[in-house]
């Protein structure tokens, strides 16, 4: 039913926390894939990273989702979709002024547990605690995320309607 599963608050945003709903987990697909609904507040931005063993696909439901894949930046509006093959450097973010809602499909499954781990971490260590970023780096490694640095989501973008 709507509202289930309950959202996991995984990042303390400036205006409200970012949230993830684990709609379909690897436990339900024999590890083949997972489906996560993400709501990200303005100012949210990932690190520049790649997933060595995980393909990702995003479908934008609301807002404008900024995605950099290799050397191109895209502004994906509601109805927009992007597929990111495993091993491909990328970053995502919300540089707009309203929340973004996206569906994230990962294959194989496993990365969805990263959002639960982040939510659990946020409950135990405040986001401004110096240990928080250290623990986040550990979580990224644990959940198939290789950090490559930072990226600028405000660079001129390629618009995909």
């Amino acid at each position: 039913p709507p509202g289930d599963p309950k959202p996991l608050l995984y990042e303390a945003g400036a205006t409200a926390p970012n949230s993830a709903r684990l709609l379909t987990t690897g436990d339900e697909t024999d590890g083949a894939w997972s489906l996560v609904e993400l709501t990200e507040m303005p100012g949210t931005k990932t690190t520049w990273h790649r997933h060595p063993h995980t393909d990702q696909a995003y479908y934008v439901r609301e807002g404008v989702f900024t995605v950099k894949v290799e050397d191109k930046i895209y502004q994906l509006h509601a109805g927009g979709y992007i597929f990111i093959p495993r091993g491909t450097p990328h970053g995502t973010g919300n540089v707009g002024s309203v929340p973004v809602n996206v569906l994230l499909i990962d294959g194989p499954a496993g990365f969805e547990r990263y959002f639960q781990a982040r939510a659990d971490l946020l409950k135990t260590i405040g986001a401004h605690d110096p240990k928080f970023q250290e623990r986040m780096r550990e979580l990224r490694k644990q959940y198939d995320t290789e950090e490559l640095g930072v990226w600028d989501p405000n660079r001129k973008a390629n618009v995909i309607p």
Side-chain angles (χ1 to χ4, degrees):
D4 281 337
K6 298 290 181 215
L8 301 169
L9 305 180
Y10 70 88
E11 185 171 320
T15 56
N18 292 339
S19 65
R21 290 186 340 134
L22 307 184
L23 300 176
T24 305
T25 67
D27 294 338
E28 299 164 293
T29 66
D30 240 358
W33 57 277
S34 66
L35 175 64
V36 178
E37 178 189 51
L38 300 172
T39 301
E40 297 190 342
M41 296 298 128
T44 299
K45 181 182 91 157
T46 67
T47 62
W48 182 241
H49 65 281
R50 66 178 157 215
H51 304 282
H53 309 288
T54 307
D55 295 320
Q56 293 190 314
Y58 289 93
Y59 176 80
V60 182
R61 296 179 55 187
E62 296 175 7
V64 179
F65 193 53
T66 301
V67 182
K68 180 177 181 183
V69 179
E70 294 182 325
D71 63 346
K72 293 184 179 178
I73 296 180
Y74 303 93
Q75 298 291 335
L76 301 174
H77 296 261
Y81 168 86
I82 194 162
F83 173 73
I84 305 169
R86 64 190 70 196
T88 304
H90 67 282
T92 66
N94 178 358
V95 298
S97 59
V98 298
V100 168
N101 182 270
V102 298
L103 295 176
L104 167 62
I105 300 169
D106 292 300
F111 185 72
E112 76 276 10
R113 294 188 301 250
Y114 171 69
F115 295 103
Q116 179 68 59
R118 281 183 69 167
D120 293 344
L121 177 63
L122 194 58
K123 290 177 190 174
T124 60
I125 301 175
H128 300 292
D129 186 309
K131 294 179 183 178
F132 184 81
Q133 285 306 318
E134 180 182 323
R135 291 281 295 124
M136 282 298 300
R137 280 189 290 281
E138 292 169 7
L139 286 178
R140 288 182 192 110
K141 282 182 187 177
Q142 182 180 351
Y143 292 100
D144 193 41
T145 304
E146 180 184 345
E147 288 184 84
L148 303 172
V150 296
W151 64 286
D152 181 2
N154 294 308
R155 197 186 114 219
K156 186 178 179 191
N158 303 296
V159 177
I160 295 181

